[in-house]
């Protein structure tokens, strides 16, 4: 901080403010008015229009029953198809996320590629927590690595060496040239007697290729998943690799194939090998059916006297070959007449629901915006500016203007909150006293001063922006400790801070709170210094002085500019105790020095060690001082008699009296 003689004067205004005027007495509340919800008003207002709309829609529905029936069935099938795709992706995407997770461990250095034991343990743990994944491996650049897989219900882990093998997947060989994950074509694993799809995730650190993470999913598990879907929802779903091969189908559960010697195509069963005659005739005997969905292809198949409809669409993202997902259902499952009546009634009822729903939606959106505004206004009344979220924009012009104006007001009030103590303003609002706000009264408080040792020399070698950033970070750390104990930060003076307890709200335990805050500052500064040293920055050394006693607290200032603060000899003593702590600090990161008055009122709130009587600058007599010393510091420190400090021959300056600004010669002394 600045080394001027009045750098920490206790009357320096922290926040200039206009003199508060007394609020007018609220008018007596009149008779309670009936207030209706906006949503209810809108629904009641549009109710008659909704009934007329329903009648006309029902007539139109009867005329176009056939078209509506087809559209309804198609929509239902399309939604079911979308649900199958989503669930299939949910079955496969955990493999990609696992690959990214393991790759991230290696890239950050948390997992070393050469430590096979740690690698196996990590892969085993990752696989155990992902039942959808069948196998997990890490492949080093030299084609060696470790793998963990599920085999006969157990987790098997082993190292492997692919050097010299002839059927190495191209994704493995192309790993150094890729930066993103890639899904490989299905492969047959003889040991598991099953086919797998595998995703390969390259791993790099600082641009250097470290290998690949490979995660495999068994296609047999995917078929079992589709079987569960059939049982739960009655959907006969399937996944095709192409028009000739099947990736997953409920009928494949329990079936076994051996594709060890298969050379013509992927290691997958052909479409005619699945116990589904209708699916086998899908491409050879199926007839295209008009579809209302552009992404869906519909085909009708007639097999053994029954008609089937299949809906299919492509699904990308799992290799160069787009997969085909589909569902099939029997046309005769629902009678034509029943479907027509159902669709007709359903459409009319749906229109009614949609109409009422739209009215409710509009009403709820408007009422929700108004409710947000009211809730935010309540928080403004409670001065909870930081907890108020920005009001969202609205398509209604007036609501949008109100939200924008309110957000701008909150942004200004948040700045206002950083300058004005919230507890003080809340008390002013509650008490609504006469002109001038709070009358000045005498109060018993505990005052704290803090200072950074050697800050002037430190700031000489720092840019202005870096100096401001350091002070902001430092004061944020200290203010959090002070406010957590109910203290009031009075002002920031250069690199110093002044705070007090016991005002504006009376606190019987003000000394205990101040000592606990000083202990929290002690821990916070030491923890912050460890972070600073780890980041290559110099630690800071902080001095803290505490004293308890009577002060005058209230509004101090002129008619046009006033400030709520404290004045009195107690402030002078606290400032001089902090100043005197420079001679006792030594190499300690933090020194907390308190008067005997505060120590006595603290009731053993923190560990204190007596330092004896000391002479304070500008004052006669001796002041009993105590120092906060933690248990670990007591063990490392020499006996108390060895570190006792004789009274310093400080210059005796005349004391200007109670409420005067104390002089601070010798600032930033080591």
């Amino acid at each position: 901080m600045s080394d001027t003689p009045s750098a920490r004067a206790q009357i320096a205004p922290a926040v200039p403010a206009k003199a508060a005027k007394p609020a007018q007495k609220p008018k007596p509340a009149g008779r309670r008015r009936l207030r209706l919800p906006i949503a209810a008003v809108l629904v009641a207002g549009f109710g008659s229009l909704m009934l007329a709309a329903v009648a006309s829609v029902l007539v139109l529905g009867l005329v176009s029953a056939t078209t509506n029936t087809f559209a309804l069935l198609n929509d239902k099938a399309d939604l079911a198809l979308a649900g199958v795709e989503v669930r299939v992706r949910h079955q496969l995407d955990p493999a990609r996320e696992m690959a990214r997770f393991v790759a991230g461990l290696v890239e950050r250095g948390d997992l070393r590629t050469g430590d096979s034991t740690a690698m196996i343990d990590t892969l085993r743990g990752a696989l155990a927590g992902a039942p959808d994944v069948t196998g997990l491996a890490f492949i080093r650049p030299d084609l060696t690595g470790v793998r963990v897989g599920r085999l006969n219900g157990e987790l098997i882990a082993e190292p492997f060496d692919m050097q010299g093998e002839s059927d190495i997947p191209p994704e493995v060989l192309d790993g150094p040239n890729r930066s993103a994950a890639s899904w490989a074509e299905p492969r047959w694993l003889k040991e598991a007697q099953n086919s797998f799809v595998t995703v390969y995730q390259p791993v790099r650190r600082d641009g250097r290729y470290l290998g690949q993470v490979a995660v495999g999913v068994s296609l047999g598990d995917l078929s079992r998943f589709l079987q569960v879907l059939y049982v739960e929802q009655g959907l006969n779903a399937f996944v095709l690799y192409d028009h000739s091969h099947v990736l997953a189908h409920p009928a494949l559960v329990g079936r076994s194939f051996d594709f060890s010697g298969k050379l013509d195509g992927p290691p997958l069963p052909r479409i005619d090998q699945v116990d589904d005659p209708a699916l086998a005739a899908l491409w050879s005997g199926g007839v295209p059916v008009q579809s209302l969905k552009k992404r869906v292809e519909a085909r009708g198949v007639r097999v053994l006297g029954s008609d089937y409809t299949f809906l299919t669409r492509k699904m990308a993202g799992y290799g160069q070959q787009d997969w085909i997902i589909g569902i099939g259902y029997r046309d005769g499952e629902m009678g034509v007449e029943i479907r027509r009546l159902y669709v007709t009634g359903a459409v009319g009822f749906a229109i009614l629901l949609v109409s009422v729903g739209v009215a409710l939606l509009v009403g709820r959106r408007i009422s929700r915006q108004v409710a947000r505004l009211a809730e935010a206004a309540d928080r403004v009344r409670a001065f909870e500016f930081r907890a108020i979220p920005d009001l969202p924009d609205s398509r209604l012009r007036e609501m949008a203007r109100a939200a924008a104006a309110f957000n701008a007001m909150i942004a200004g009030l948040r700045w206002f909150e950083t300058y004005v103590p919230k507890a003080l303003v809340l008390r002013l609002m509650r008490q609504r006293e006469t002109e001038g706000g709070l009358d000045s009264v005498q109060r018993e408080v505990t005052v704290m001063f803090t200072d950074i040792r050697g800050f002037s020399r430190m700031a000489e070698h720092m840019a202005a922006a870096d100096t401001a950033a350091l002070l902001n970070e430092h004061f944020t750390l200290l203010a959090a400790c002070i406010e957590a104990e109910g203290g009031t930060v009075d002002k920031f003076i250069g690199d110093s801070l002044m705070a007090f307890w016991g005002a504006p709200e009376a606190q019987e335990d003000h000394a205990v709170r101040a000592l606990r805050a000083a202990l929290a500052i002690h821990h916070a500064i030491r923890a912050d210094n460890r972070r600073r040293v780890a980041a290559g920055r110099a630690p800071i050394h902080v001095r803290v002085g505490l004293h308890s006693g009577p002060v005058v607290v209230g509004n101090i200032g002129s008619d046009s500019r006033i400030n709520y603060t404290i004045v009195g000899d107690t402030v002078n003593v606290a400032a001089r105790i902090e100043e005197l702590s420079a001679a006792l600090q030594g190499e300690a990161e933090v020194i907390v020095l308190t008067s005997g008055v505060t120590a006595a009122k603290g009731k053993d709130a923190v560990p204190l060690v007596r330092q004896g009587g000391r002479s304070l600058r500008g004052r006669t007599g001796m002041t009993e001082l105590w120092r906060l010393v933690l248990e670990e510091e007591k063990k490392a420190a020499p006996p108390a008699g060895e570190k006792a400090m004789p009274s310093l021959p400080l210059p005796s300056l005349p004391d200007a009296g109670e409420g005067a600004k104390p002089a601070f010669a010798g600032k930033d002394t080591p």
Side-chain angles (χ1 to χ4, degrees):
M1 65 176 278
S2 174
D3 294 340
T4 56
S6 58
R8 279 190 308 206
Q10 74 271 20
I11 314 181
V15 182
K18 293 289 183 180
K21 293 184 179 181
Q24 296 181 354
K25 295 183 179 179
K27 297 180 180 180
R31 186 176 61 181
R32 184 178 181 85
R33 300 181 60 185
L34 177 63
R35 293 177 173 86
L36 300 176
I38 295 177
V41 173
L42 290 177
V43 173
F46 289 112
S48 58
L49 296 177
M50 297 303 102
L51 292 177
V54 168
S56 61
V57 169
L58 285 176
V59 172
L60 294 175
L62 292 174
V63 174
S64 57
T66 305
T67 304
N68 290 340
T69 300
F70 182 76
L72 181 63
L73 290 177
N74 207 335
D75 288 343
K76 180 181 178 181
D78 183 50
L79 290 175
L81 195 61
V84 172
E85 179 179 354
V86 169
R87 297 192 64 176
V88 169
R89 290 187 181 276
H90 284 177
Q91 183 77 8
L92 296 174
D93 286 346
R96 185 180 316 184
E97 297 302 322
M98 180 179 292
R100 291 175 181 172
F101 169 75
V102 177
L105 294 178
V106 178
E107 290 172 352
R108 292 191 303 269
D110 298 335
L111 184 60
R112 296 193 303 271
T113 59
D115 190 350
S116 297
T117 301
M119 182 69 72
I120 288 178
D121 292 341
T122 302
L123 299 184
R124 185 191 296 272
L127 187 62
D132 298 333
V133 177
T134 309
L136 178 60
F138 182 80
I139 307 171
R140 303 186 184 95
D142 60 353
L143 302 182
T144 63
V146 294
R147 60 190 173 195
V148 177
R150 288 189 174 88
L151 188 62
N152 299 327
E154 298 181 358
L155 293 181
I156 306 299
E158 61 181 1
F160 65 91
D161 187 351
M162 301 174 63
Q163 296 177 359
E165 294 185 6
S166 58
D167 60 338
I168 300 177
E171 288 77 12
V172 175
L173 301 176
D174 194 42
N177 302 323
R178 289 186 292 103
S179 59
S182 175
W183 285 89
E185 304 302 323
R187 291 179 60 85
W188 171 258
L189 186 61
K190 184 177 180 180
E191 293 80 359
Q193 289 294 302
N194 208 335
S195 297
F196 290 80
V197 288
T198 308
V199 59
Y200 293 88
Q201 173 70 53
V203 182
R204 286 182 172 83
R205 185 190 305 157
D206 299 329
R208 185 168 61 91
Y209 176 70
L210 302 179
Q212 293 193 86
V213 177
V215 183
V217 178
S218 169
L219 295 178
D221 293 340
L222 188 57
S223 294
R224 280 187 286 272
F225 156 74
L226 294 181
Q227 185 187 46
V228 173
L229 187 63
Y230 177 80
V231 173
E232 292 179 349
Q233 301 184 14
L235 292 178
N236 186 21
F238 54 88
V239 181
L240 305 180
Y241 180 73
D242 52 26
H243 287 184
S244 302
H245 296 86
V246 182
L247 280 164
H249 191 284
L252 293 177
V253 176
R255 299 279 302 275
S256 61
F257 299 89
D258 188 0
F259 301 110
S260 300
K262 184 177 181 181
L263 301 177
D264 54 341
L268 299 170
R270 295 189 309 273
I271 196 171
D272 57 351
Q273 292 179 310
V274 180
D275 189 14
D276 192 342
L279 179 62
L282 175 61
W283 309 110
S284 60
V287 178
V289 179
Q290 182 183 4
S291 175
L292 298 180
K293 304 297 181 182
K294 295 182 179 180
R295 296 180 57 223
V296 177
E297 179 182 0
R299 300 179 72 89
V301 178
R302 184 173 181 81
V303 176
L304 301 177
S306 299
D307 294 326
Y308 297 84
T309 298
F310 288 88
L311 295 180
T312 61
R313 71 181 180 194
K314 294 184 178 180
M315 181 177 68
Y318 301 99
Q320 299 179 357
Q321 176 79 28
D322 288 348
W323 294 359
I324 301 173
I325 60 171
I327 58 174
Y329 57 90
R330 190 188 301 267
D331 285 352
E333 291 176 353
M334 185 181 296
V336 177
E337 295 298 330
I338 296 177
R339 284 184 293 171
R340 181 178 296 121
L341 292 176
Y342 171 78
V343 172
T344 302
V347 169
F349 189 66
I351 293 296
L352 175 62
L353 291 181
V354 169
S355 301
V356 176
V358 168
L360 281 173
L361 180 62
V362 173
R364 287 191 62 184
R365 287 198 173 185
I366 296 176
S367 62
R368 189 181 305 166
Q369 188 80 355
V370 175
R372 288 196 187 104
L373 185 61
E375 181 181 356
D378 288 338
R379 292 190 175 183
V380 170
R381 182 172 57 184
F383 272 51
E384 299 176 357
F385 304 130
R386 303 293 175 184
I388 302 176
D390 288 342
L391 294 181
D393 194 10
S394 174
R395 294 188 180 274
L396 300 178
R397 183 181 305 170
E398 291 77 7
M399 298 303 300
R401 290 176 56 189
F406 193 88
N407 291 337
M409 180 189 71
I410 294 302
L413 290 175
R414 285 170 181 160
W415 278 104
F416 175 78
E417 183 184 21
T418 62
Y419 293 100
V420 178
K422 181 169 63 175
L424 171 62
V425 178
L426 289 174
R427 186 180 180 191
L428 286 169
M429 294 173 61
R430 287 196 300 267
Q431 294 192 356
R432 298 182 180 180
E433 291 188 351
T434 59
E435 185 175 355
L438 295 173
D439 293 334
S440 297
V441 296
Q442 183 167 315
R443 185 75 63 81
E444 184 83 13
V445 302
T446 298
V447 185
M448 171 188 288
F449 276 94
T450 73
D451 183 48
I452 300 178
R453 189 182 74 180
F455 181 76
S456 295
R457 292 192 300 274
M458 184 186 305
E460 289 179 359
H461 307 287
M462 299 173 62
D466 295 336
T467 303
L470 171 63
L471 289 177
N472 289 338
E473 180 181 351
H474 174 69
F475 286 142
T476 300
L477 198 68
L478 267 58
C481 299
I482 293 169
E483 293 172 355
E485 293 295 339
T488 299
V489 177
D490 184 88
K491 58 179 68 70
F492 302 105
I493 317 162
D495 62 310
S496 296
L497 176 147
M498 173 182 169
F500 56 85
W501 286 259
E505 299 292 341
Q507 296 169 328
E508 297 297 330
D509 58 343
H510 55 84
V512 174
R513 291 172 177 264
L515 288 171
R516 288 202 302 256
L519 179 61
I521 290 174
H522 188 283
H523 290 306
I525 293 298
R526 294 181 64 185
D528 183 60
N529 279 340
R530 288 193 291 271
R531 291 190 291 267
R532 293 177 61 85
V533 171
R537 296 185 293 173
I540 61 175
H541 295 72
V542 177
R543 302 193 295 261
V544 181
L546 296 166
H547 181 55
S548 302
V551 297
V552 175
V553 55
N555 290 324
I556 307 296
S558 65
D559 291 338
S560 60
R561 299 170 67 86
I562 61 174
N563 176 51
Y564 181 84
T565 186
I566 60 175
V567 295
D569 186 61
T570 299
V571 181
N572 297 336
V573 174
R576 282 164 170 75
I577 290 175
E578 180 272 310
E579 177 184 310
L580 181 64
S581 64
L584 283 171
Q585 186 170 12
E587 297 301 323
E589 297 176 87
V590 186
I591 179 173
V592 177
L593 208 59
T594 179
S595 66
V597 178
T598 304
K601 292 178 178 293
K603 302 177 182 178
D604 300 325
V606 298
L608 296 174
V609 174
R610 184 175 179 272
Q611 302 295 300
R614 298 289 185 270
S615 175
L616 301 181
R617 180 170 58 84
R619 299 181 60 82
T620 60
M622 305 293 286
T623 300
E624 186 75 16
L625 298 180
W626 293 72
R627 179 175 179 177
L628 188 149
V629 181
L630 303 181
E631 291 299 327
E632 59 267 24
E633 295 175 344
K634 289 181 180 180
K635 297 177 182 179
E642 298 181 13
K643 63 179 181 180
M645 181 191 73
S647 299
L648 298 178
L650 298 174
S652 178
L653 300 179
D655 193 349
E658 182 177 326
K661 298 180 180 180
F664 294 99
K667 280 293 295 156
D668 291 340
T669 54

